Amino acid sequence: MGAGGRTSVPPSPKKPEFYPLKRVPCSKPPFTLSQIKKAIPPHCFKRSVLRSFSYLIYDLVLASLFYYVATNYFPSLPQPLPYVAWPLYWAMQGCIFTAFWALAHECGHQAFSDYQWLDETIGFILHTFLLTPYFSLKYSYRRHHSNTGSLERDEVFVPKKKSALKWWAKHFNNPLGRFLEISIQLTLGWPLYLLFNITGPPYDRLACHYDPYGPIFSDRQRLQIYVSDAGVLAVTYALYRLVLAKGVGWVISVYGVPLLVVNAFLVMITYLQHTHPSLPHYESSEWDWLRGALSTVDRDYGILNKVFHGITRIHVAHHLFPTIPHCHAMEATKVIKPVLGEYYQFDGTPVYKAIWRELKECVYVEPDEGDNDKGVLWFRNKL
């Protein structure tokens, strides 16, 4: 993807202060996608095999080091040190596994290199290692990027209208209910999404990421879904053989718990990127691609921004230009912010506070009373 020089379009008005809960504009932006693109230096669109592999090798070295230390030194630690050492391993290895997932996701957007076959190979290996069906997710996320912010067609964390809430929603609208919801989301949310597409739009039949004939996929994609399934089955069989050789406790400690950490991070990161009191959602009468792509928010995860290859901090730019490599996405974010103005949203609220606030404030969506734009809906929490 190429890029032009600096834009001559006047920047949108800047926010005078930082108001993370101030609504972003929902009117048609005064700029186009091509005008945003012109603000980005051309080198930001260039992909480097060597640079991408340097991040992958770095992550592989860390993961191997953590594995070596845990399996060679933890068994000989005196009590009670293993009760400290193993949780540290789970947290650190889970973060590195999440970095693997982020690189595989980048491969799915062909932002890893200029060679599609290489991106598909690396992405398939990394995602399959994490029991994620690579091609299935690639295609469902492509639908998500094509329909972000659409209540009818988006694929990820599509909010419900008040009339569509289940009868038990009001019983979860309290501190205990929110704690239970967070617990369920962070432990079971990812496998439930893959199996049942629980945060996606309604389909006429079960939408499962492992089903080649599911409604998420087209006929020409089905063969690759079989390949994804075969990869996941192969890793599952390898884990079974490891259980026989090493024991179930060893497999859970070395691989299983870090994988649960990955699953929790994936749900939390994606939820917080697309759920915020300031963001609109659109019905088909109002939705267009650019406004939908801007209905996302960048977050700050501190040092984990770097560990996760920036996916937490550059999501707005990623939705606008998904083929920009993560190593250039922060630079791209900085230069498009003056163009986007109030249409750009960043919230630096600590994520543990943000997820609690969003579960409290973002229960369902409805249009404002008396608003002529009935196709624009905002988060509400009054039940």
Side-chain angles (χ1 to χ4, degrees):
M1 183 181 293
R6 295 288 177 177
T7 180
S8 59
V9 178
S12 299
K14 293 184 178 180
K15 299 180 184 180
E17 294 182 46
F18 175 59
Y19 294 118
L21 299 183
K22 181 182 178 181
R23 286 181 173 181
V24 300
C26 60
S27 57
K28 186 175 180 180
F31 46 78
T32 65
L33 183 65
S34 63
Q35 289 168 340
I36 303 171
K37 184 178 178 181
K38 288 179 181 178
I40 303 174
H43 72 263
C44 288
F45 293 90
K46 293 182 179 179
R47 296 159 289 198
S48 167
V49 172
L50 291 178
R51 188 164 184 179
S52 293
F53 263 100
S54 72
Y55 294 108
L56 175 57
I57 292 170
Y58 178 79
D59 291 340
L60 287 171
V61 169
L62 285 180
S64 301
L65 178 63
F66 295 158
Y67 167 81
Y68 178 81
V69 171
T71 55
N72 285 275
Y73 293 98
F74 286 9
S76 60
L77 288 176
Q79 295 294 337
L81 291 183
Y83 293 100
V84 177
W86 277 110
L88 287 175
Y89 167 81
W90 295 333
M92 293 188 295
Q93 193 72 297
C95 288
I96 298 303
F97 282 6
T98 306
F100 286 161
W101 195 98
L103 290 178
H105 179 71
E106 186 161 87
C107 290
H109 288 291
Q110 206 179 343
F112 188 85
S113 76
D114 290 327
Y115 309 100
Q116 184 175 356
W117 68 267
L118 181 61
D119 286 28
E120 303 288 46
T121 302
I122 298 298
F124 177 78
I125 292 172
L126 292 177
H127 264 172
T128 303
F129 170 71
L130 299 170
L131 296 179
T132 295
Y134 171 73
F135 291 108
S136 306
L137 206 66
K138 170 185 171 179
Y139 292 125
S140 68
Y141 268 50
R142 181 177 293 178
R143 291 168 68 102
H144 163 58
H145 273 257
S146 298
N147 299 285
T148 308
S150 168
L151 285 176
E152 289 91 354
R153 297 185 304 276
D154 199 355
E155 286 288 337
V156 176
F157 283 108
V158 183
K160 290 180 170 56
K161 296 181 181 180
K162 187 176 184 179
S163 59
L165 291 177
K166 302 295 184 182
W167 62 268
W168 41 259
K170 62 182 179 180
H171 300 296
F172 278 78
N173 196 27
N174 55 68
L176 177 59
R178 283 188 284 275
F179 175 78
L180 291 173
E181 187 173 355
I182 289 174
S183 301
I184 294 170
Q185 277 200 30
L186 297 186
T187 54
L188 300 176
W190 183 246
L192 288 176
Y193 169 69
L194 293 177
L195 286 167
F196 305 111
N197 204 39
I198 58 167
T199 63
Y203 286 103
D204 294 335
R205 50 160 294 190
L206 174 66
C208 173
H209 282 76
Y210 301 100
D211 179 6
Y213 294 91
I216 302 175
F217 311 115
S218 66
D219 289 340
R220 63 186 182 88
Q221 296 167 351
R222 304 202 193 285
L223 178 60
Q224 290 179 307
I225 310 307
Y226 278 114
V227 173
S228 294
D229 291 350
V232 172
L233 286 174
V235 172
T236 303
Y237 179 72
L239 292 172
Y240 166 72
R241 299 297 300 182
L242 274 175
V243 167
L244 296 180
K246 298 283 191 176
V248 66
W250 188 93
V251 173
I252 290 174
S253 297
V254 171
Y255 175 83
V257 179
L259 186 66
L260 291 177
V261 173
V262 177
N263 294 351
F265 271 128
L266 294 181
V267 171
M268 180 169 64
I269 291 169
T270 309
Y271 175 77
L272 290 178
Q273 286 168 338
H274 296 281
T275 308
H276 195 277
S278 71
L279 297 180
H281 283 76
Y282 301 95
E283 293 183 317
S284 56
S285 60
E286 285 288 332
W287 182 87
D288 62 66
W289 184 88
L290 183 55
R291 282 193 289 174
L294 293 171
S295 296
T296 60
V297 57
D298 287 342
R299 303 277 188 171
D300 187 3
Y301 284 65
I303 192 174
L304 292 181
N305 291 330
K306 183 174 180 63
V307 176
F308 297 159
H309 302 300
I311 63 169
T312 51
R313 187 64 181 80
I314 46 83
H315 197 64
V316 176
H318 173 69
H319 263 272
L320 293 170
F321 306 103
T323 59
I324 291 182
H326 76 270
C327 56
H328 297 311
M330 194 64 237
E331 180 182 356
T333 296
K334 291 178 180 177
V335 297
I336 67 174
K337 282 168 64 176
V339 180
L340 300 182
E342 293 187 339
Y343 286 84
Y344 174 78
Q345 181 63 291
F346 168 78
D347 191 342
T349 304
V351 292
Y352 67 90
K353 292 183 178 180
I355 194 170
W356 184 265
R357 182 192 66 199
E358 267 53 302
L359 281 171
K360 179 181 179 182
E361 300 293 334
C362 305
V363 179
Y364 60 91
V365 291
E366 278 195 343
D368 287 336
E369 284 189 28
D371 193 341
N372 292 327
D373 297 326
K374 292 298 183 181
V376 181
L377 295 86
W378 302 91
F379 281 110
R380 302 274 194 271
N381 67 349
K382 302 296 184 184
L383 293 175

